[in-house]
Amino acid sequence: MLPFIDHARTFGRRPEEFAAYAEGQTPQVLFITCADSRVVPALITGARPGELFELRTAGNIVPPYALERPTSEAATIEYAVDVLGVKDVVVCGHSHCGAVGALVRGDDLNAVPAVRDWLRSATPRPKGAAEDPAVAEGVQNHVLTQLLRLRSYPCVAAKLDRGELNLHAWYYEVHTGAVLAHRPQTDTFTAL
C-alpha cells in the first residue's frame, strides 16, 4: 500500500494540470468491463482523463433492466447515454476471468453467496470449454450476452433506433495484451 500512498501524496503537486477537469466531463465512450485488477481501460485504450466513462462489475455483467429494482449499473448506463451523450459503448470481457470461468465450469460458490447471487444474473450460463484456463469462448459468448442485454435498456434502444449510439464487444487477453473485437458479419472475434 505504501507505494500507492507515496504516489497519491505527490500526484496533485501541479494543480494547473488538473484545473480544466473542474469544467466537467465529455467522455466519448462508456467502457463496461470487469473489476479484475489486470484490466485497466485507460491503459488498454490510451484514454486520458475525461475520455472514458467506466462501469466495472464482477464479470462485466450488465444486469437485466428493471425499473422497479434500479441498480447502480443501470444508473451508470443511463447517465452515460442520456446525460453525457456517449456515442459508443464497449463491453469488454477478458481472458482468465474468474467470474465467467466459475459460470462456465458450474463452480460451487456457496462460500461466497454475494458472488454466487450476482453471477446468477449473468445467466444463461455461457457456452465454453471448461478446461480452457483462458475461458476464451465462454468470455466471448458472455460479452455478446451482455451486449444483447444492454440493447434492452430503454435509453440504449432509443439511441440505437436513432443511429446515435454504437455498441462494441471486445475481448482482452491479459496474457498477451491483444484486444479482439466482435465482427457481426462473421460472428467472430478478430484483432482490432
Side-chain angles (χ1 to χ4, degrees):
M1 183 70 186
L2 189 55
F4 303 126
I5 293 170
D6 289 342
H7 182 77
R9 284 182 178 139
T10 61
F11 186 67
R13 293 233 170 123
R14 292 190 304 248
E16 65 278 1
E17 292 178 12
F18 300 92
Y21 300 143
E23 297 171 16
Q25 61 176 322
T26 55
Q28 303 165 25
V29 176
L30 168 59
F31 200 94
I32 301 172
T33 195
C34 187
D36 190 297
S37 63
R38 301 167 293 180
V39 180
V40 183
L43 185 63
I44 294 167
T45 64
R48 303 285 304 147
E51 293 179 340
L52 289 181
F53 199 69
E54 295 180 22
L55 172 57
R56 298 183 64 143
T57 68
N60 55 268
I61 292 172
V62 175
Y65 184 81
L67 192 55
E68 64 279 358
R69 286 189 1 216
T71 64
S72 172
E73 296 80 19
T76 301
I77 292 164
E78 186 176 76
Y79 188 79
V81 171
D82 281 345
V83 177
L84 296 175
V86 298
K87 301 295 182 207
D88 293 275
V89 179
V90 173
V91 178
C92 182
H94 67 93
S95 68
H96 303 86
C97 182
V100 175
L103 287 168
V104 168
R105 292 184 302 272
D107 290 355
D108 178 3
L109 298 174
N110 288 325
V112 282
V115 173
R116 177 198 63 216
D117 293 349
W118 171 249
L119 292 180
R120 280 188 182 150
S121 68
T123 53
R125 186 170 159 181
K127 185 183 97 186
E131 65 279 358
D132 175 12
V135 265
E137 182 185 10
V139 170
Q140 291 171 7
N141 286 323
H142 174 72
V143 166
L144 295 176
T145 297
Q146 303 316 302
L147 206 65
L148 186 61
R149 189 171 285 159
L150 190 59
R151 291 177 175 278
S152 73
Y153 279 57
C155 61
V156 172
K159 294 276 180 134
L160 286 171
D161 286 346
R162 293 195 301 267
E164 298 172 355
L165 189 65
N166 301 298
L167 302 182
H168 310 271
W170 285 10
Y171 172 73
Y172 171 64
E173 293 182 338
V174 300
H175 56 292
T176 68
V179 179
L180 308 178
H182 182 256
R183 309 296 180 194
Q185 306 83 348
T186 58
D187 195 26
T188 58
F189 280 81
T190 59
L192 282 177

